[in-house]
Amino acid sequence: MSGTWKAVELMEGFYWVGAVDWDLRDFHGYSTHRGTTYNAFLLEGRENILFDTVKAPFFDQMIERIASVIDPSSVSVIVSNHSEMDHSGSLPAAVAAMKPGRVIASAAGARNLSMQLGFEGVEVAADGSRTAAGDTELVFMETKMLHWPDSMFTYIPSRKLLISQDAFGMHLATTRLFADANEESVLLEEAGRYYANILMPYSQLVERLLAKVASAGLDIEMIAPDHGPLWRSGTPTGPGWITGLYARWAAQAPGRKVVIAYDSMWRATERMAHAVAEGAAEGGAVPVVCGLRSSHRSDVAAELLDAGALLLGSPTLNGDVFPTVADLVCYLGGLKRRNLTGGAFGSYGWSGESVRRLEEALTGMKVRMLGTVACQFGPDAGALSRCRDLGGAAAASISGP
């Protein structure tokens, strides 16, 4: 079968048959300004195996890529490592077209596929279980809550290949399917943004997973995630590069960065934010100022990945914080960044609740509070001095590279 969409061979008999989503700019409130890929993989053998599918609108691309290598009806096994719809949305159409003898998922994956898609008849893979698919042995490892309850890895010993679903991935639209074919700075940025916005709440589980993989003694020469490029050994950005970053990010050790996020109505709170930044810089920290008219909530989350302090600023509007700041507080609260110090600041016209609300929110996020600064209308020299002192206190409170 000829057509537009061709499979890409990644190693002998192992193909990428996914799709590139060049236009995606939002993923559950996370700004994906470089698009994404939906990776699906085909392994040829005595039994042909498809690992994951693609988001439903991209089914035709996937089936055409498969058909460029084999007759799709010869796929006898489909493994669903993760049931989120960007990976399972094409599963019903794939099963209808291929009529595989087996569809394999974790126990939670089988439940999710039933509830989401009305899909039944899934073979359940227990944690640590092994199965033969023709001449290929598959080993399954549950990775619950990384980042859904159903998530699992599939390891293929004969290929030294780990198919890792959403773990070790990134949102990056690219046809350069190996990490080492992409710029390392882009990989670092996008892998970090992905970790900060999706996996950061589960950092303690990431640490346990890395220990679990190490104790299993898996010999891994390639990691194939469900988003973004693959990590292959013998390159500067191989499997050890990304797993090392995950170990560092999971530890959430405070760095020398001070993140200052704010919004402003008449630039009074903006002036305060800049004074906080000056104080942090004078104290030897690296301030990053995120005005929420130009910085997306997910940009702030990404900056926090290697930060040591978070300072939030807001004017008072209708007896509360400004809406963009409230949105950020809600988002960051769910990401559960640990080991931060922080503070709050803002201006007000007459009632002045915003700083107190921010202090309560930061305390609820387990941020160790250093102080607050509030001023009525525009900040005078004294208020700006207190803001500089707050920034200096943030710098003094953190240590790191």
Side-chain angles (χ1 to χ4, degrees):
M1 179 178 180
S2 62
T4 302
W5 314 107
K6 306 290 187 182
V8 179
E9 192 167 27
L10 304 169
M11 64 171 68
E12 186 179 358
F14 181 65
Y15 300 88
W16 179 82
V17 291
V20 181
D21 190 343
W22 300 101
D23 298 322
L24 184 74
R25 291 297 179 268
D26 182 273
F27 188 86
H28 309 334
Y30 157 19
S31 176
T32 52
H33 59 286
R34 286 190 171 106
T36 196
T37 56
Y38 309 114
N39 296 339
F41 303 103
L42 174 69
L43 181 63
E44 278 190 291
R46 284 210 307 266
E47 292 189 28
N48 298 316
I49 310 167
L50 177 66
F51 298 93
D52 293 310
T53 65
V54 296
K55 196 174 180 179
F58 296 87
F59 170 74
D60 289 345
Q61 290 190 31
M62 183 187 75
I63 199 74
E64 194 170 306
R65 291 188 197 278
I66 293 169
S68 73
V69 179
I70 62 170
D71 182 345
S73 66
S74 69
V75 172
S76 57
V77 180
I78 299 178
V79 176
S80 174
N81 285 306
H82 179 28
S83 64
E84 194 168 5
M85 296 292 283
D86 49 338
H87 309 298
S88 69
S90 290
L91 184 61
V95 169
M98 300 173 189
K99 298 178 174 56
R102 305 163 71 187
V103 176
I104 304 173
S106 68
R111 289 193 299 272
N112 284 2
L113 293 172
S114 174
M115 289 186 288
Q116 291 174 182
L117 302 169
F119 192 83
E120 306 295 345
V122 175
E123 178 182 331
V124 171
D127 184 33
S129 65
R130 297 169 179 258
T131 191
D135 53 350
T136 303
E137 182 185 36
L138 306 177
V139 181
F140 302 108
M141 178 181 291
E142 285 189 349
T143 58
K144 290 181 178 180
M145 295 315 302
L146 294 175
H147 65 117
W148 273 26
D150 66 286
S151 299
M152 74 175 187
F153 288 171
T154 301
Y155 177 64
I156 306 174
S158 62
R159 299 300 186 108
K160 300 180 180 179
L161 170 64
L162 181 69
I163 300 174
S164 63
Q165 45 90 25
D166 274 357
F168 311 124
M170 68 183 72
H171 287 308
L172 175 63
T174 179
T175 57
R176 293 176 290 180
L177 296 178
F178 289 111
D180 53 277
N182 294 269
E183 293 181 21
E184 187 170 330
S185 60
V186 173
L187 298 174
L188 182 60
E189 177 187 348
E190 294 302 337
R193 286 176 60 81
Y194 191 89
Y195 187 96
N197 285 279
I198 293 180
L199 291 167
M200 188 153 62
Y202 314 112
S203 288
Q204 291 176 314
L205 295 176
V206 170
E207 291 180 312
R208 292 177 202 162
L209 171 65
L210 293 173
K212 181 178 179 180
V213 170
S215 66
L218 304 184
D219 187 2
I220 299 171
E221 292 191 355
M222 185 180 294
I223 297 177
D226 275 358
H227 292 292
L230 288 73
W231 315 93
R232 57 181 171 181
S233 62
T235 68
T237 51
W241 188 82
I242 188 63
T243 57
L245 286 173
Y246 267 50
R248 189 179 91 197
W249 293 332
Q252 296 194 25
R256 291 293 293 168
K257 183 192 294 184
V258 174
V259 175
I260 303 156
Y262 75 95
D263 208 336
S264 194
M265 295 170 65
W266 295 106
R267 303 193 68 182
T269 303
E270 177 184 298
R271 291 170 61 200
M272 298 174 79
H274 293 169
V276 171
E278 286 295 304
E282 288 175 358
V286 180
V288 175
V289 180
C290 300
L292 294 177
R293 302 298 173 95
S294 57
S295 297
H296 193 269
R297 67 177 81 89
S298 59
D299 298 330
V300 180
E303 293 291 354
L304 280 178
L305 189 60
D306 56 355
L310 170 65
L311 296 111
L312 298 177
S314 174
T316 296
L317 178 67
N318 299 328
D320 213 326
V321 299
F322 204 70
T324 52
V325 184
D327 173 87
L328 176 67
V329 166
C330 177
Y331 189 75
L332 294 183
L335 294 178
K336 298 180 174 61
R337 175 62 163 93
R338 306 190 311 271
N339 304 324
L340 293 174
T341 60
F345 59 92
S347 67
Y348 62 95
W350 50 91
S351 57
E353 293 89 349
S354 65
V355 172
R356 176 168 52 83
R357 297 262 198 251
L358 289 178
E359 182 178 19
E360 292 169 354
L362 288 165
T363 300
M365 292 162 59
K366 297 183 171 54
V367 173
R368 180 166 66 84
M369 290 297 294
L370 302 170
T372 63
V373 181
C375 72
Q376 192 166 18
F377 296 109
D380 59 15
L384 292 175
S385 178
R386 292 195 299 277
C387 287
R388 291 172 77 98
D389 289 344
L390 181 59
S397 72
I398 57 181
S399 61

